[in-house]
Amino acid sequence: MPHGYIGKILRVDLSSGRVTTEEFPENFYRQYLGGEGFTGYFLLKEVPPRVDPLGPDNKLIFAAGPLTGVPVGGCGRHSVGAKSPLTGAFGEAEAGGYWGAELKMAGFDAVIVEGKAEKPVYIFIRDGGAEIRDAAHLWGMRTLECQNTIREELGDPLIKVAQIGPAGEKLVRFACVINDLDAAAGRTGMGAVMGSKKLKAVACRGRQRVSLADPEQVKEIGTWVRDNTPIILKGMHDFGTSRLVPALNSAGGLPTRNFQLGSIDGAEQISGQTMKDTILTRRRACFACAVQCKREVKVDEPYLVDPRYGGPEYETLAALGSDCGITDLKALAKANELANAYGLDTISCGAAIAFAMECFENGLVTAKDTGGVELRFGNAQAMLQMVEEIALRRGFGDVLAEGVARAAQQIGSGAEAFALHIKGQELPMHEPRWKQGMGVGYAISPTGADHCHNIHDIAYTEMTPMLEVMKAVGILEPMPLDDLSAGKVRLLKYYSEFIHLLNCTVCCYFVMSLGLMGFDRLTQLVRAVTGWDTTFFELLKVGERVVNLARVFNLREGFGAEDDSMPSRFFSPHPSGPLKVALDPEAFQKAKEAYYDMMGWPGGVPSPGKLGELGIEWALPLLAQK
Amino acid sequence: MPHGYIGKILRVDLSSGRVTTEEFPENFYRQYLGGEGFTGYFLLKEVPPRVDPLGPDNKLIFAAGPLTGVPVGGCGRHSVGAKSPLTGAFGEAEAGGYWGAELKMAGFDAVIVEGKAEKPVYIFIRDGGAEIRDAAHLWGMRTLECQNTIREELGDPLIKVAQIGPAGEKLVRFACVINDLDAAAGRTGMGAVMGSKKLKAVACRGRQRVSLADPEQVKEIGTWVRDNTPIILKGMHDFGTSRLVPALNSAGGLPTRNFQLGSIDGAEQISGQTMKDTILTRRRACFACAVQCKREVKVDEPYLVDPRYGGPEYETLAALGSDCGITDLKALAKANELANAYGLDTISCGAAIAFAMECFENGLVTAKDTGGVELRFGNAQAMLQMVEEIALRRGFGDVLAEGVARAAQQIGSGAEAFALHIKGQELPMHEPRWKQGMGVGYAISPTGADHCHNIHDIAYTEMTPMLEVMKAVGILEPMPLDDLSAGKVRLLKYYSEFIHLLNCTVCCYFVMSLGLMGFDRLTQLVRAVTGWDTTFFELLKVGERVVNLARVFNLREGFGAEDDSMPSRFFSPHPSGPLKVALDPEAFQKAKEAYYDMMGWPGGVPSPGKLGELGIEWALPLLAQK
């Protein structure tokens, strides 16, 4: 019996121009849900081993989840996945905004893009159907211009557009997919995959509400979320994700100068509080959300910043700011606009520039290499110039557009020591010497260093109410940040599986986790939407299933336990500043091994029994292909 | 913050006569809940390795759970645990009736009995206090007489009594603990442990209602259970647990003649339907339950059967009936009365007699050994005589009172081939050639062959609504009975963990599982009683935790993977009858290994990571003691 939450899956073969729709049974949805779960499934089922991530054999999966488009705060997200051109491993990122809900309202749960177009194209999805359209005139456009042109030529200002900017066209390895101009499926270079397929955009318009098994119950939960999360997340509403900059800076947890330090003079200038007092024009929300943690800023001088591109979030302010030694909020607002206009992941972009700055200051890169740019920490002008050069692969930007791992190889002479990455992906702006559980999470994440498939172990100290939430899965005691005992590893296992689950449903971490939605209420929401008599046990097992699918994928692609690594920098403390501790190599290794053991991954490889327990025995033969 | 569901734990040292009460924190209850969880915890924490199960160093744990005594059907159970004198391994059994609820209403969650009294004693618990009383005058009494005497001397006809009969006093290795005259904590010889401590009874009276975190929600669930389970379990209400005898017989799944066959002529004579039409006088219920699956029977000739001892259930009818080649319902009603009066586990008792009959028919035991008794299949008179002889350890009964494993060693000459047991415990009346998942469950159960720490895989065929319940943990497809693939092993893992969970809460399988209570409603009930913001994930992890504690205990006591065995008989099909299949040795071995793998038990031993994930790292050093 099909339920209302089940839509169709659109398959677009850009090589042949064929557009088809497929339907999958209910049990498929129960096992994989959507989002990252679909990416895990389709990458393993349909993408042969060792394909070129930028070649026609890679597939790009846009996927909503069963909760996407449901009128409850936090349910406005979708996921984009493919083999990553940045890491060569499992690639997946999620974005907020309105595009995912629009896809669902058009009757689709996912779009599988395969092959490669000969000339630039875009896909237009509308109320159950789809077509491939010429995009020659859009190629080269920044995202605002492209969105405007598509809306105009299709005669509908309500069309939602997920697209690449020039960075994706140029195959910048950390190009992102931007939707609604200010929401990014940022990490793992999904924009480059899109560019490699000559797919400029996926435009979407749907006018069918997602039907619900129990609308009254959904309404009740939606009302709870609307009435409570803006209060629980008041700091997020008032000041956005950068509200914690001053606290991070005081603790030594604000990545500074390519993670050489954990605090910076003038940090308060890039805080959410300062932003509110100066350049903030409006708060923005994703679909159905009352928290409004997204920002809109306007700057007139010395840079003109278009408010339609939103405003910088914490990751952007730290990666392009403190990590580059910069505390100039207006310059960061401009950098954010550029990143959204060109379609760049601000984390990898900022980290690449910070890496280059450290190389420059150590003489490994000179003004000769940079075309005269003094690429020093604190030079906001140089940072802005480099963002554009990376996006367009101009000058030294072409080197950095490859990501720090490849750039370090090109630069040579010891640059590798400054190339902070795991599996080829640059670290997000969470200091692993401080949040040590998250550090281990960086190492074992299938996507490389990533905070969106991880834990935020600051939430499990005595300080926060998240501890109460985790009690619901048996994590009963708080844990210090620098604790890497079995208890912390267990927290990492459960919580990261929960995050992978949210990437399948597809939901917002802030609302569902920090917003204290609670696991029971989330379960009730899935029940009310789908009509399944499910439990949080079944749901969390979906998260675990996806982690295992991604692990099998990575093993097949040649990754192993030795790639679950940590740059050596993080085993030494900051030379100065408030944070005195670093990761301990032995404790780190022990925690990694405890994680494998808890996962049922002897030597880092999922056991046949574990795959059997998760109902994915079909993935076992793929391990033999590694 | 203590909640109303938390009571005290009573500790009675019979050696010193010291009676103390202890309190444990909330997190202890969340991790172990009660019942079997307490036994797992206290056996490992307090009982040294390799103690004599019948010596003073063994401890006997009577434990209720957080749901015991809550006014909801299925919540009237308690658990009794100790190192088993039958198996030398983890021993635990549960019983219905009213005793557990009375213990809770007296303010206690558990009673830990340690040491050994010099002379017979009993414990009287009343409203928060307890005393040890002389039981010299009770020693030797049958259970009815003993209960009457205690009530009379304490002047309260509402006192509930859990006790041993003469069989427990005589240390029959499968003596049980009887409460309310017709409810038995039957398996693993807990009555012998009680006897070894010279503890005749634990009498209990409490007048304090269990306080509830959310009484309205409990009431709502209680109403649902009251209104629905008697309808869902109508067959159980009408005909009791033996309702399925005709169906089992047709399928070849009714153990007959010491499991040589799976059906018997005249099976309908021992069915619940026939019982209702002939000797049934009344249905009985456990505390708060509207299903009333328990029976009361009256027989006047040729045996006088006292209705106060209840009536025979399925296991009794098959073990002492078909498995002994007997279909005489009145004789079985008498055997049931004797077992309840003497305090014998009817399963092991029937299995021991069936074993002796096969030995007799093959000339390994003769009339000379049996004192003239013609111990042949179908001889009801001989069966009845043997029940008494076992209980009193008279004549050949003294040999059988040791259980079939030890009896076979005494008899020698190949008797071992007829001794059907796992880890020393006789098989319950579920044919492992037919319900093959349950067969694997027999092998891996910490208590030896046992249907109360197992799955009933007949419930997961296309036939039954249990499949819908299991969907809630991701078991989405039905499975044939003779399937031993990874999917079945996964079902075994999840479902047996669920059963272990029910043994901790402590609840009835029939109501909570077959009664389609559903995992979500069960979770809501635990939330409403305790006030915990829990999930079914946390709860099922308690079940997994207990399985692991029991495994560690058994490893410490010298058991290993080689003891997770299956008698060779079950690898050959019945020589005739409707069931054509047998267990396949290779498939069985593969399923066992898949189970270890799914459990995180390489080589059958819990990995450090698995213990860490379950928050029981403290048990790891105990593995080194093996």
Side-chain angles (χ1 to χ4, degrees), chain A residues 26-28 30-31 468-469 471-477 485-487 490 493-494 497 518-521 523-524 527 533-541 545 594 597-598 600 602 607-610 612-615 617, chain B residues 26-28 30-31 468-469 471-477 485-487 490 493-494 497 518-521 523-524 527 533-541 545 594 597-598 600 602 607-610 612-615 617:
Chain A
E26 181 177 13
N27 282 355
F28 171 76
R30 272 188 96 141
Q31 282 179 280
E468 280 304 311
V469 172
K471 279 192 179 175
V473 291
I475 308 277
L476 303 177
E477 306 282 357
S485 68
R490 178 189 182 204
K493 172 173 162 51
Y494 290 1
E497 285 166 0
F519 301 142
D520 189 65
R521 197 175 278 112
T523 307
Q524 298 305 329
R527 292 164 70 98
D533 183 23
T534 188
T535 62
F536 192 65
F537 181 86
E538 182 184 17
L539 296 179
L540 202 55
K541 282 283 166 188
R545 186 173 297 125
D597 204 2
M598 288 188 196
S607 73
K610 176 48 75 178
E613 191 223 314
L614 296 168
E617 307 92 312
Chain B
E26 181 176 13
N27 282 355
F28 170 77
R30 271 188 96 142
Q31 281 179 280
E468 280 305 311
V469 172
K471 279 191 179 177
V473 290
I475 308 277
L476 303 176
E477 306 281 358
S485 69
R490 178 187 180 207
K493 173 174 163 47
Y494 290 1
E497 284 166 1
F519 301 142
D520 189 65
R521 196 175 278 112
T523 307
Q524 299 304 328
R527 293 164 70 97
D533 183 23
T534 189
T535 62
F536 192 66
F537 181 86
E538 183 184 17
L539 296 179
L540 201 55
K541 282 282 165 188
R545 186 173 297 124
D597 204 2
M598 287 188 196
S607 74
K610 176 49 75 179
E613 190 223 316
L614 296 168
E617 307 91 315

